Structures are given as C-alpha cells and as structure tokens.
Amino acid sequence: MAREKKNVHKVEMTEGKRNIIQMLLQEYDIESAQDIQDALKDLLGGTIKEMMKAEMDDYLGYGKSQRSDNEDYRNGYKKKQVNSSYGSVEIAVPKDRKSTFEPQVVKKRQKDISDIDQKIISMYAKGMTTRQISETLDDIYGFEASEGFISDVTDKIMPQIEDWQNRPLSEVYPVLCIDAIHYSVRDNGVIRKLAAYVIPGINQDGYKEVLTIEAGENESAKYWLSILNGLKNRGVKDILIICADGLTGIKEAISTAYPQTEYQRCIVHQVRNTMKYVADRDRKPFTADLKTIYQSPTEEKALEALEHVTEKWSTKYPTSMKSWKQNWDAISPVFKFFSDVRKVIYTTNAIESLNATYRKLNRQRSVFPSDTALLKALYLSTFEATKKRTMPLRNRGQVYGELSIMYEGRLPE
C-alpha cells in the first residue's frame, strides 16, 4: 500500500506578496537579514498608525475629509513608545477632542505588543537574574527594561503560585521525598540563609509530582507537623513511605500526622554525610564498601556488611559509620523490597533531578533580594524542569504491585 503523504502546510507565494516584497526591496536598501528586521520595525509603526486611523474613522462615523455634525472630531496625534518583537517602536496614536476614543490595536496604557512578558518569565525560570534579563532584552530586542519592570512582570505569577500551593492533592501517595536546599536571602539589608524544602513524590498513577515548596529557617517537629497537616488539609489521607534526610523533628511529625507511614532515611544523603570528611584518596574504595551495605539482598546481610565496613575504616575514620548504626531503624525498611522498588525509595531520583535545577539558581544568584524573589524562582524553575516529564515511573506495575502487597488495603485498586 502506498504511504499516505503528509499534509504539509505551505505558504503560497501570491502575486500580491511578490509585489509587496519588490516594493520593500526598492524602498529599503536590504542586504542582510538584519536589514529585513529593521525594515519591518520601521513599517510596524506606520501600519499601526493606519489601523488606528481606521478605528478613529469608525468611532467618529466619518472619514477625515468628510463633513459631519458630530461634535467630536480629530485632534492630532500623540507619540507613544511600545515594546515589540522587533524592539522599541515609536507609534502615533490619533486623538479626539473629547478624549473618549479607545484604540483597540494598541490599547491605552499598553506598553508592550509582543509576548515579552512570557520571554521574561521563561528567562527567570531558567535562573537568570533581573539584571541579566535586562541586559539580554537590550542586546536581543533593542529596548531597555528596568530591573523593577522585570520584577513587576514576574510578580504577575504570584496568584498562580498561591493557587498551585493550595490546589487539591491525591488521597494516597506511595512515596514522598523531602529535601532542603539553602539560599542566601537579603532581609532589611542583612543577608541570611533560608532553607527551601521541596516535597516531590510518586502519585498512585506512577507519575512524579511536586506537592509543595516551603521556605523556612528552623527545622522542628512543630514545623514539620504544620507542613504535613497542610498536605492533609489539601486531601492527602495516606502516604506509604516518606524518604528524607535526618531533618530535625521529621520522624516525630510523621508519626503524629501519618501514624501508618514508614519513615525511610535517604540513602543518598546518608552516603554523602558519611563521605563528607573522607580524604580524596579513600573516597572511591570507601564508597564501594558502602554499596555493599545498602545493596545487600537482605537486612541480615546488610548488618554483616555494616560491621565489616565499620571495622575496616574505624582506624582512619572512627566516627564515620556511627550514624549508620544510630539511624538503622530508619535505614533498614528498604531491605524488604525488591531492587526496582528500592530505587524508587532510596535513590530519591524524583528529587535529585530537580535539585540540579535548584543548584543552578545558587550558581547564578549569590543572594536573592527577598523571600518572594526566591519563591518565584523556585516555582518557575520547578515547572521549567517538570513540564516535559510526561512518562510514568518505569516498571510502575511491578512497583505498584509489590507496594500493594506490603501495604495491603492502602493503595486504590
């Protein structure tokens, strides 16, 4: 069977278009693509003026050279600067004597006729500072945008952030992760460290989802209880597993808000904390030894590996393995699962991929001017990072099936 040809839309070059192009070439000394841009920019202002003149004729009910009994009449033009996709353009806006004419092509107080707002928000989402965005707009589009203007544009998303933070959530989440990234924020002239807590998870359909982003200074059971209660108020009735680092008070808060939820210590953070003070020459062999613990097939084998690693490195690093033994009750739950389920739980891939985006914010902005600026950046970065993620969890059926058995009756059929 012959393959069906795709219906590809082609722009037809009509005789009228050819004439316009020829007139354009005659009017402007076009030798490059930039010359074309400049010509179109020059024509834009005149085109808008002619369209507004037609709007004025329709508004008054008579043409410029016609007689009329209308008490209102044309009263010249006023100049106005607008931002366009071609840069800053000066346009002539027709006026009437009574000042009641409302143009629609470019409305009163409208200073932008491009999608520059979305460009600014997109650049902000990629981690650019207001100064960098201002410089980029000047370089690419040829018009100045103050840092205050850019801040005002990004402030428009604050209602969206509030709606997102208060949106209803699913009733059950198999796995949630909690992690913190620290940022420097200016507060009344004083720079302070502020922790941003991101809570992503795997929902019951197997998709990664960021439930909320919170910013706070002091970790405590009271603080975490308020966060978890916020999730409950938004509809989360049950969480099978919460994976987190040793956040102060998190274990107590989980047992209060979700008594059936299992707290799993994040293995990635556990390994990082262990390796923090290990010399560079020992890092590779030490890391390999730690793998023998958390990749053990059973908890019994993991405990044997723990004793071996502790004994091997205790002379050089006497306290390095202390936290493993102290936190074993929160590390050990993972050993009852098959390897595919373990990867969902202890590697916290759902949050590690996001963290790369959040760390970029730290590299590009040494200090955020306010808490609000930080929240905007985190929100936009989150959606920039997740908007293309449309694939469900790999081996979702197997993972879901095993969790359904381990936590019988708690996952929807």
Side-chain angles (χ1 to χ4, degrees):
M1 183 181 293
R3 182 178 296 179
E4 185 179 351
K5 292 184 179 179
K6 293 182 179 179
N7 184 20
V8 180
H9 176 70
K10 294 182 178 179
V11 179
E12 184 181 358
M13 180 57 70
T14 63
E15 188 64 30
K17 290 178 182 178
R18 289 193 183 92
N19 291 336
I20 292 172
I21 292 172
Q22 289 300 320
M23 292 172 65
L24 193 67
L25 293 173
Q26 292 173 13
E27 182 69 23
Y28 298 92
D29 186 17
I30 296 177
E31 296 181 352
S32 66
Q34 182 60 51
D35 291 339
I36 298 174
Q37 294 283 333
D38 293 340
L40 294 174
K41 178 180 176 180
D42 184 53
L43 288 171
L44 180 61
T47 303
I48 292 174
K49 179 181 179 181
E50 291 302 315
M51 292 176 71
M52 284 185 169
K53 283 171 63 178
E55 282 189 327
M56 178 66 83
D57 290 348
D58 184 65
Y59 175 74
L60 295 175
Y62 66 96
K64 187 174 182 180
S65 59
Q66 296 175 328
R67 292 181 177 274
S68 172
D69 295 331
N70 193 336
E71 293 181 358
D72 201 3
Y73 53 84
R74 295 168 184 79
N75 191 29
Y77 295 87
K78 64 178 178 181
K79 294 181 178 180
K80 179 177 179 178
Q81 290 288 133
V82 294
N83 295 330
S84 75
S85 298
Y86 301 107
S88 184
V89 176
E90 184 177 270
I91 62 173
V93 181
K95 300 187 299 179
D96 64 316
R97 187 180 68 85
K98 294 184 177 181
S99 298
T100 54
F101 173 57
E102 296 279 350
Q104 298 302 307
V105 178
V106 179
K107 297 181 179 181
K108 285 184 177 180
R109 292 176 293 278
Q110 183 180 358
K111 296 181 180 179
D112 199 301
I113 57 173
S114 70
D115 57 351
I116 198 66
D117 284 15
Q118 291 304 313
K119 290 184 175 71
I120 289 174
I121 290 172
S122 178
M123 286 187 280
Y124 202 89
K126 290 178 172 62
M128 295 177 67
T129 65
T130 53
R131 179 175 296 179
Q132 290 170 333
I133 294 171
S134 178
E135 292 172 351
T136 301
L137 291 175
D138 190 28
D139 289 342
I140 297 177
Y141 300 103
F143 60 80
E144 296 181 2
S146 68
E147 294 180 41
F149 168 76
I150 293 167
S151 182
D152 289 343
V153 169
T154 55
D155 278 345
K156 293 178 182 178
I157 67 165
M158 292 306 296
Q160 297 176 38
I161 294 178
E162 186 175 351
D163 290 343
W164 182 80
Q165 291 281 49
N166 293 309
R167 77 194 188 282
L169 299 172
S170 300
E171 291 189 358
V172 180
Y173 285 87
V175 181
L176 286 191
C177 303
I178 303 175
D179 197 13
I181 301 180
H182 294 85
Y183 297 91
S184 296
V185 177
R186 195 180 304 279
D187 183 12
N188 293 323
V190 178
I191 297 174
R192 59 189 173 93
K193 283 288 184 181
L194 195 65
Y197 299 103
V198 185
I199 305 182
I202 307 297
N203 62 30
Q204 59 197 43
D205 296 320
Y207 289 88
K208 296 176 183 178
E209 176 186 349
V210 177
L211 281 70
T212 190
I213 301 172
E214 304 286 346
E217 292 179 316
N218 300 316
E219 297 171 15
S220 65
K222 182 179 179 181
Y223 175 79
W224 289 116
L225 184 58
S226 69
I227 299 299
L228 295 176
N229 282 339
L231 299 182
K232 290 176 70 174
N233 291 334
R234 292 166 62 192
V236 181
K237 295 181 178 179
D238 194 12
I239 304 165
L240 303 188
I241 302 166
I242 290 181
C243 183
D245 193 12
L247 302 169
T248 304
I250 187 68
K251 188 175 180 180
E252 294 80 1
I254 292 171
S255 64
T256 301
Y258 294 99
Q260 290 184 291
T261 299
E262 196 149 35
Y263 169 50
Q264 171 67 51
R265 186 87 171 202
C266 175
I267 301 298
V268 172
H269 286 90
Q270 184 69 30
V271 171
R272 285 178 182 166
N273 293 336
T274 304
M275 302 302 296
K276 192 178 296 183
Y277 302 108
V278 174
D280 289 345
R281 65 179 180 277
D282 294 329
R283 294 184 70 84
K284 190 173 181 179
F286 205 146
T287 303
D289 285 342
L290 290 177
K291 285 183 180 180
T292 65
I293 301 174
Y294 62 83
Q295 291 184 353
S296 293
T298 65
E299 183 179 357
E300 183 182 0
K301 293 292 184 183
L303 285 169
E304 291 176 6
L306 176 60
E307 290 302 322
H308 172 72
V309 175
T310 302
E311 184 178 350
K312 178 179 177 180
W313 294 101
S314 60
T315 302
K316 276 190 172 183
Y317 308 103
T319 62
S320 60
M321 299 302 295
K322 185 178 179 181
S323 66
W324 286 79
K325 294 183 177 180
Q326 289 177 334
N327 299 307
W328 190 253
D329 63 328
I331 294 172
S332 59
V334 76
F335 295 110
K336 64 186 177 187
F337 297 106
F338 181 61
S339 60
D340 285 349
V341 183
R342 291 188 190 186
K343 289 177 182 178
V344 175
I345 300 169
Y346 72 61
T347 59
T348 59
N349 284 335
I351 200 163
E352 287 301 307
S353 55
L354 281 170
N355 278 352
T357 301
Y358 299 141
R359 292 189 192 100
K360 183 179 179 182
L361 294 179
N362 257 337
R363 289 195 299 270
Q364 292 187 314
R365 305 180 186 188
S366 57
V367 179
F368 282 84
S370 66
D371 295 9
T372 301
L374 174 60
L375 183 61
K376 287 189 296 186
L378 289 169
Y379 171 85
L380 289 170
S381 295
T382 298
F383 279 83
E384 182 73 16
T386 58
K387 65 183 179 182
K388 295 181 180 179
R389 294 179 190 163
T390 57
M391 295 298 292
L393 184 70
R394 187 179 298 177
N395 300 325
R396 184 256 178 190
Q398 182 178 352
V399 171
Y400 198 86
E402 187 165 334
L403 290 173
S404 296
I405 294 172
M406 288 291 185
Y407 303 95
E408 187 176 357
R410 293 172 62 185
L411 285 177
E413 296 294 333

